[in-house]
Amino acid sequence: MMNSEEKTTINRTLPSGYLNRDLSWIEFNQRVLQEAQDPNNLLLERARFLAIVSSNLDEFMSVRVAGIQDQIRAGYSRKDFTGYTPSGLYKRLLKKVSKIITEQYRTFRDISRQLNKEGLYFSDYEDLNIAQKQAMEQYYQDIIFPVLTPMAVDQSRPFPLVHSQFVYLSVVLTKEDDIEEEPYFAILQIPYNLARCIPLPHRSNSKKRQFIFIEELIKHHIHTLFSGYIPIAVHEFRITRNSDLSINEDGAEDLLEEIEKELRKRRWGSPVCLEVEKGIHPFALSQLQDEFEITDSIFEIDGPLDLNFLMDFAGSLKGYSHLSHRSIEPVYPMEFDENEDFFEVLRERDVLVYHPYESFEAVTDFITQAAEDDHVMAIKMTLYRVSGNSPLIQALATAAESGKQVTVVVELKARFDEERNIAWARKLEKSGCHVVYGLIGLKTHAKITLIVRQEGHELQRYVHVGTGNYNDSTAKIYTDLSLFTSNHNIGLDASELFNQMTGYSTNYDWDAITVAPTNMSSTLFDLIRREAEHAAAGRPARIIAKMNSLSNQDMIDELYDASTAGVQIDLIIRGVCCLRPGVPGLSENITVRSIVDRFLEHSRIYYFENGGSSEVWISSADWMTRNLTRRIELMCPVYDPHIQDLVFKILNLSLEDNIKARFLQSNGNYEFANDNKAPFRSQTEALNVKKWKGNPPLS
């Protein structure tokens, strides 16, 4: 590993030896935007990608940019390891974000034109015919008007609370009898619990479908809310606030109550950026700037604010299936399909399941069977993000109510899922589960379930380890791996991990699994260095690592060292990558590719050639500082040779992709593959599970 002097040399001689995390994230969102722009993608899929761009930007601004603003306000001016001060990075990010927003709305207009060709229109009020105007008049009076609340801003009525990332209208008015006075100002929240796009009536034989935005309808009727005043200008605006929670875990008597208190504070988070409709009235803009104290992070939007609505819009259309992907039917894992008794199967062999191509129902059925099995003594499970109506919650509750020992480690601090996790925690507690909120200062991000079963005179442990959350909804759109095993050593380690999370237990020598923040970094360093030793001795040496993000400097330096030692390193990183590949004398043996396609690439897989005796691991952890030092993470070895081969096949699917793979260049940009090989799209190939998975051998 490089010492501090060597790191300084790299930074001095190669100013861009590391890529900045936040600028790399912008590049990732640009790749998502490319999918929205790609005419080869189905039209409503392009609309969905555009919604994802919007959602990604919202989170980026409310978390990452908000954090940089906090550093600037605190007077922090030290450069990070990529060479940026907070103020310098902030200025560059604003330029990048402004550019991507401009492209985003240019893409929206293009998609709208393509929708028009399919008979789908976003219409202005002036474009409606008489019958449609009458229908919308009735809809406004009956449905919209009763829930609207105009809020005046003057000396007796201070600026009301403006919620983060909701669309509002700014209204500039004058009195009917005195138009010379300074304008009056009011705001109005667009109801978020009503349809954003309202379908307009159409002739039964017409193929044309029109929609009007709810804000467009409210603007046209704005006079109904301000009798005695004349509306001069009505424009949309949207504020994004800092969404980070400042939780004093050491001083909190009850972590759940502390997080609930902080969630209430979140609505008052400091403003990060302001989006305003193009052409907003100067008086309205000055009022908003004064209230939110924003001068630089203001984005003028040429189109409807908040394109997140496109996700629901694309899913709500009937009769346009040709514009979307055909839904896939995940294959139920063949290993379990032939035998409904999970425990009997796992006594014979380990099982690997590849989501979403193979059904997440296997995980749900595994927990459900354990909950209903009279021989199961205990179930222990971590929950980070679960779906809104998770069958796993009911299964755990059933198990507890039947007398089983059920322990659930719930991560209350999973960002933006805090309220949902609090609700599940309370439900589980009421059913008799032991609910633990993790360790102070650490997020519990590991995905593991331990089932203890009485079999004869012995207790047998069964373990599920995943790379993704126990979430049946996201499991349909995220690629992840599930490993089911009854391996003795993995079971013992799983028991110890839960003991550490729920009680007092330290200084344990892990036999199989690797845990962060305890020993994951050191284990990974050892594995990488071992490859370098193999390369130096002329033995086979290769690393293939698939993850979401790579930003930890020490990990990058270890990979640089391995590259200079001659190790071939193939990184498959969907999102942020701070490593710069292809730098002579540093990283010429490293390739980095990102795959952005229909499903979100989410699995973390690590392969080490090891001189010909390869090792394969699956993990919940990316190679980011937060994963390695501030979270409870898990890395589990794959022992079964057949499953090792399957995981290697999955990695090779990504390595062969020349349709959706983009390669990170030395200059920090990403470019599509240009290899002149036959077209190969990894996610399309993965759909044919039975073809590449084959029949599992009996152990």
Side-chain angles (χ1 to χ4, degrees):
M1 181 175 173
M2 299 179 188
N3 59 38
S4 58
E5 183 179 344
E6 289 171 322
K7 290 179 185 177
T8 303
T9 301
I10 284 179
N11 284 333
R12 185 173 63 248
T13 59
L14 295 167
S16 53
Y18 306 101
L19 299 171
N20 180 268
R21 169 181 171 174
D22 296 302
L23 293 174
S24 180
W25 183 91
I26 291 287
E27 287 293 324
F28 160 65
N29 211 32
Q30 186 70 46
R31 296 194 292 280
V32 180
L33 181 56
Q34 285 177 345
E35 293 299 308
Q37 295 168 333
D38 187 351
N40 294 315
N41 286 333
L42 295 170
L43 187 54
L44 291 181
E45 299 303 329
R46 293 176 60 191
R48 289 187 175 95
F49 275 115
L50 199 56
I52 294 171
V53 171
S54 184
S55 175
N56 287 349
L57 274 174
D58 283 349
E59 182 172 349
F60 181 70
M61 298 301 293
S62 66
V63 177
R64 295 298 305 173
V65 174
I68 295 169
Q69 288 179 338
D70 286 344
Q71 289 181 324
I72 294 171
R73 280 191 287 267
Y76 187 83
S77 58
R78 186 177 176 182
K79 289 183 178 180
D80 64 16
F81 76 94
T82 68
Y84 282 93
T85 63
S87 59
L89 178 60
Y90 179 65
K91 291 175 184 176
R92 187 160 184 194
L93 285 176
L94 285 188
K95 290 181 180 178
K96 293 276 189 180
V97 170
S98 180
K99 181 180 178 182
I100 205 169
I101 288 175
T102 299
E103 285 190 53
Q104 182 186 9
Y105 278 88
R106 186 182 301 122
T107 305
F108 172 72
R109 288 188 289 275
D110 177 55
I111 290 175
S112 296
R113 286 191 292 269
Q114 300 305 315
L115 288 171
N116 293 168
K117 295 178 181 178
E118 298 289 339
L120 296 166
Y121 293 83
F122 297 121
S123 299
D124 294 329
Y125 190 87
E126 291 73 19
D127 298 331
L128 308 190
N129 60 38
I130 294 175
Q132 289 172 331
K133 288 180 178 179
Q134 290 174 343
M136 288 302 97
E137 178 72 26
Q138 195 68 44
Y139 183 85
Y140 174 80
Q141 294 296 337
D142 294 346
I143 305 298
I144 301 176
F145 180 77
V147 301
L148 295 179
T149 304
M151 294 174 284
V153 179
D154 55 28
Q155 289 181 332
S156 64
R157 289 168 290 192
F159 215 103
L161 172 65
V162 175
H163 295 281
S164 182
Q165 297 175 352
F166 285 87
V167 179
Y168 285 77
L169 294 181
S170 65
V171 187
V172 181
L173 310 115
T174 62
K175 278 189 175 180
E176 290 181 349
D177 56 356
D178 192 351
I179 61 174
E180 298 299 325
E181 289 188 2
E182 182 179 88
Y184 295 85
F185 185 68
I187 68 171
L188 176 73
Q189 183 180 341
I190 301 298
Y192 61 88
N193 50 359
L194 295 178
R196 179 81 185 273
C197 293
I198 304 166
L200 294 164
H202 60 277
R203 296 191 305 274
S204 58
N205 62 347
S206 175
K207 294 183 179 180
K208 184 178 180 180
R209 298 290 183 271
Q210 292 174 266
F211 300 85
I212 188 169
F213 290 108
I214 188 172
E215 59 266 33
E216 174 76 7
L217 198 53
I218 295 172
K219 285 179 186 179
H220 182 77
H221 292 87
I222 198 71
H223 60 280
T224 64
L225 299 167
F226 300 98
S227 59
Y229 291 78
I230 301 173
I232 298 175
V234 187
H235 292 93
E236 300 163 47
F237 73 92
R238 184 172 180 259
I239 191 75
T240 292
R241 296 182 181 275
N242 187 326
S243 67
D244 208 13
L245 302 181
S246 300
I247 301 168
N248 179 14
E249 295 186 52
D250 291 312
E253 294 184 10
D254 187 316
L255 183 60
L256 187 146
E257 291 183 2
E258 183 72 15
I259 291 176
E260 285 186 313
K261 183 173 69 176
E262 287 300 315
L263 285 173
R264 290 191 290 272
K265 284 185 184 178
R266 180 181 272 172
R267 67 189 68 177
W268 294 99
S270 57
V272 177
C273 68
L274 173 65
E275 298 165 75
V276 298
E277 183 182 349
K278 184 178 181 179
I280 188 170
H281 193 282
F283 181 73
L285 181 58
S286 67
Q287 291 286 312
L288 297 175
Q289 285 184 271
D290 290 346
E291 171 60 24
F292 301 128
E293 298 180 349
I294 288 181
T295 57
D296 50 4
S297 54
I298 301 173
F299 303 104
E300 193 173 90
I301 306 298
D302 187 10
L305 272 60
D306 187 10
L307 295 181
N308 282 295
F309 80 90
L310 286 169
M311 188 66 73
D312 289 336
F313 175 77
S316 67
L317 294 173
K318 306 299 181 185
Y320 293 88
S321 58
H322 62 289
L323 301 181
S324 294
H325 286 308
R326 191 172 54 183
S327 60
I328 70 165
E329 284 297 327
V331 176
Y332 200 85
M334 62 185 76
E335 297 90 337
F336 296 135
D337 199 26
E338 299 170 358
N339 189 336
E340 294 181 358
D341 188 334
F342 282 79
F343 304 124
E344 183 178 336
V345 172
L346 295 179
R347 284 193 294 271
E348 294 292 325
R349 64 166 81 98
D350 290 353
V351 174
L352 183 80
V353 178
Y354 191 18
H355 311 294
Y357 314 105
E358 293 182 286
S359 177
F360 188 78
E361 287 182 9
V363 179
T364 303
D365 292 346
F366 177 59
I367 307 299
T368 301
Q369 181 181 325
E372 297 172 352
D373 189 318
D374 292 337
H375 297 289
V376 169
M377 309 297 291
I379 302 174
K380 302 183 180 185
M381 189 175 190
T382 58
L383 288 180
Y384 188 74
R385 298 186 195 274
V386 294
S387 66
N389 189 27
S390 174
L392 294 174
I393 300 297
Q394 186 56 52
L396 293 170
T398 298
E401 289 163 356
S402 67
K404 294 177 173 61
Q405 294 291 309
V406 180
T407 303
V408 186
V409 182
V410 178
E411 181 46 72
L412 296 180
K413 303 183 295 294
R415 186 177 282 122
F416 305 123
D417 276 337
E418 299 95 343
E419 292 181 77
R420 177 180 292 168
N421 286 3
I422 287 172
W424 289 137
R426 287 196 164 128
K427 180 175 180 179
L428 290 168
E429 284 178 330
K430 287 180 181 178
S431 68
C433 297
H434 302 295
V435 179
V436 179
Y437 303 140
L439 299 176
I440 290 177
L442 299 173
K443 280 188 178 181
T444 304
H445 194 249
K447 294 85 168 63
I448 184 170
T449 299
L450 170 66
I451 294 170
V452 182
R453 188 172 188 265
Q454 182 77 47
E455 297 182 358
H457 299 293
E458 297 180 349
L459 291 179
Q460 174 66 50
R461 294 176 176 87
Y462 297 90
V463 178
H464 170 269
V465 175
T467 65
N469 299 311
Y470 287 111
N471 188 313
D472 55 301
S473 295
T474 57
K476 297 174 183 176
I477 54 176
Y478 289 13
T479 71
D480 273 306
L481 293 181
S482 282
L483 177 67
F484 298 82
T485 182
S486 63
N487 179 274
H488 178 71
N489 291 336
I490 292 176
L492 286 176
D493 281 1
S495 289
E496 177 60 26
L497 176 59
F498 278 102
N499 289 343
Q500 290 195 8
M501 289 190 288
T502 62
Y504 295 109
S505 180
T506 57
N507 301 322
Y508 177 80
D509 291 328
W510 305 101
D511 188 76
I513 69 175
T514 298
V515 175
T518 308
N519 68 333
M520 186 177 289
S521 289
S522 59
T523 299
L524 285 168
F525 292 162
D526 288 343
L527 291 170
I528 294 170
R529 291 167 188 169
R530 187 182 64 185
E531 293 302 310
E533 292 171 1
H534 284 310
R539 294 186 292 268
R542 187 184 185 190
I543 297 171
I544 308 174
K546 185 177 187 297
M547 66 195 85
N548 298 324
S549 299
L550 168 61
S551 63
N552 180 266
Q553 183 183 6
D554 291 335
M555 193 65 70
I556 293 170
D557 288 345
E558 292 289 345
L559 293 171
Y560 283 160
D561 285 350
S563 172
T564 57
V567 180
Q568 178 59 45
I569 303 172
D570 294 301
L571 302 177
I572 307 161
I573 303 174
R574 184 196 75 227
V576 168
C577 180
C578 295
L579 179 148
R580 174 188 286 270
V583 177
L586 186 67
S587 58
E588 64 262 50
N589 290 318
I590 304 177
T591 65
V592 180
R593 73 198 74 203
S594 169
I595 295 174
V596 179
D597 203 347
R598 175 181 181 179
F599 303 116
L600 183 80
E601 293 288 339
H602 193 256
S603 53
R604 290 92 166 188
I605 308 170
Y606 307 124
Y607 170 91
F608 300 91
E609 185 81 6
N610 191 27
S613 301
S614 60
E615 289 188 11
V616 176
W617 303 72
I618 66 170
S619 180
S620 61
D622 296 313
W623 291 354
M624 304 178 73
T625 300
R626 70 183 188 190
N627 299 96
L628 300 173
T629 63
R630 300 194 299 274
R631 291 185 174 189
I632 298 174
E633 301 276 11
L634 174 64
M635 192 168 80
C636 181
V638 176
Y639 291 133
D640 186 293
H642 174 67
I643 294 181
Q644 285 186 350
D645 289 343
L646 289 180
V647 175
F648 189 68
K649 285 182 180 179
I650 290 170
L651 289 172
N652 272 312
L653 289 176
S654 296
L655 294 178
E656 292 178 31
D657 194 310
N658 57 9
I659 299 295
K660 292 298 183 180
R662 285 94 160 167
F663 287 81
L664 178 58
Q665 306 298 304
S666 296
N667 60 8
N669 296 330
Y670 283 78
E671 295 181 5
F672 281 100
N674 185 20
D675 55 14
N676 297 317
K677 294 181 181 178
F680 188 91
R681 188 170 175 176
S682 57
Q683 292 192 0
T684 301
E685 295 297 323
L687 283 168
N688 194 351
V689 176
K690 293 181 179 179
K691 175 183 176 182
W692 58 262
K693 191 170 186 180
N695 293 316
L698 289 173
S699 58

